[in-house]
Amino acid sequence: MSARLAVVISGRGRNLEALIAATRDGRIAADLTAVISNRDDAPGLFCARAAGIPVLIVPHTAYRQRHEFETALAVALREQRPDIVTLAGFMRILGGALVAEFEGRMLNIHPSLLPRHRGLDTHRRVLAAGDAEHGATVHFVTPQLDGGPAVIQGRFSVEAHDDAETLAERVLNRVELKIYPQAVAWLARGELRLEDGIVWRRDTPLRQPLSLQDLEPEFR
Ligand code: GRF
């Protein structure tokens, strides 16, 4: 019985595209049952519809209070009976109740080497800080914004000629589109779990996030 996967987006959906491809070619043992977006104009919705995946819109603008939006999102997610929820370019902050309900089943991808550069505008901040390296992190979602236990990180050297655009492109193409499908594949196979704030890969607690070197061949 394949795992049930729901993907939550707000924007372009490049990570969604990669997750659709990996569920369709069997690298992720899951059925992608729905794409949920808080924006009805998210370009990623075209990709979902083209793939024949049901789309649900939960517009955050329709709710006066953030908790009302979260309740509506939780209802939409619950209806999917998901084994895994992936936030993929989702740009709203989720509060404790929804996160607690899905803790251990909800992953996010963030374009920085967490815990450095939580929040927005990471590529520009990396340049401003003069960081030697940059990358992305897949982590379990916990109530701390961009702060959940990391599963896998991909990193590369920042070059002298880099600007925010070149970094964003390299983070996405050299890191995100590889590490996110891999992490979801491990979770779908039951090879990852979150226990008391510690990420376990099979029967080993991770002392540090996995890396690009841990990618299985079909995700490289
Ligand atoms: C990506 O950098 C992702 O890490 C961040 O949003 C950006 C766009 O993601 N969360 P996508 O193209 O919408 O998947």
Side-chain angles (χ1 to χ4, degrees):
M1 182 69 179
S2 286
R4 293 172 60 85
L5 168 65
V7 182
V8 189
I9 69 168
S10 298
R12 291 175 305 173
R14 296 286 305 277
N15 282 286
L16 167 65
E17 276 180 85
L19 293 171
I20 290 173
T23 51
R24 293 288 160 89
D25 66 21
R27 286 178 295 149
I28 295 178
D31 292 327
L32 207 169
T33 64
V35 172
I36 301 173
S37 176
N38 62 299
R39 298 176 57 111
D40 62 4
D41 62 348
L45 295 176
F46 292 103
C47 169
R49 292 189 174 110
I53 297 168
V55 161
L56 301 165
I57 309 296
V58 182
H60 62 282
T61 52
Y63 303 92
R64 285 164 43 84
Q65 303 286 336
R66 190 180 81 172
H67 69 84
E68 292 169 335
F69 163 66
E70 285 192 18
T71 300
L73 181 60
V75 166
L77 278 171
R78 236 174 264 137
E79 283 169 2
Q80 292 306 313
R81 293 181 286 106
D83 300 294
I84 303 171
V85 178
T86 57
L87 307 182
F90 182 62
M91 301 309 281
R92 307 301 296 176
I93 296 173
L94 294 178
L98 189 152
V99 167
E101 180 174 347
F102 292 97
E103 190 156 332
R105 294 187 280 163
M106 185 180 276
L107 294 173
N108 182 47
I109 188 159
H110 180 75
S112 82
L113 296 173
L114 291 173
R116 284 184 69 79
H117 306 310
R118 292 191 174 104
L120 299 173
D121 208 10
T122 61
H123 312 302
R124 189 191 55 73
R125 290 161 59 196
V126 159
L127 293 167
D131 292 357
E133 290 188 318
H134 188 24
T137 305
V138 175
H139 62 93
F140 279 102
V141 177
T142 63
Q144 186 185 15
L145 174 67
D146 296 332
V151 172
I152 182 169
Q153 282 185 329
R155 66 184 61 228
F156 55 79
S157 300
V158 176
E159 309 294 343
H161 63 265
D162 272 317
D163 59 21
E165 288 67 38
T166 59
L167 288 181
E169 192 278 338
R170 206 140 83 246
V171 165
L172 196 62
N173 287 299
R174 281 186 40 187
V175 180
E176 295 188 27
L177 300 183
K178 300 173 187 289
I179 64 173
Y180 216 176
Q182 172 71 84
V184 177
W186 283 327
L187 191 54
R189 291 202 302 252
E191 294 182 11
L192 275 184
R193 69 180 187 283
L194 178 62
E195 225 168 77
D196 302 325
I198 304 288
V199 179
W200 290 70
R201 170 102 191 280
R202 299 195 185 103
D203 54 4
T204 308
L206 297 187
R207 303 252 174 269
Q208 62 186 16
L210 297 163
S211 73
L212 293 175
Q213 284 65 43
D214 296 297
L215 289 173
E216 294 166 336
E218 63 270 33
F219 292 96
R220 296 207 167 143

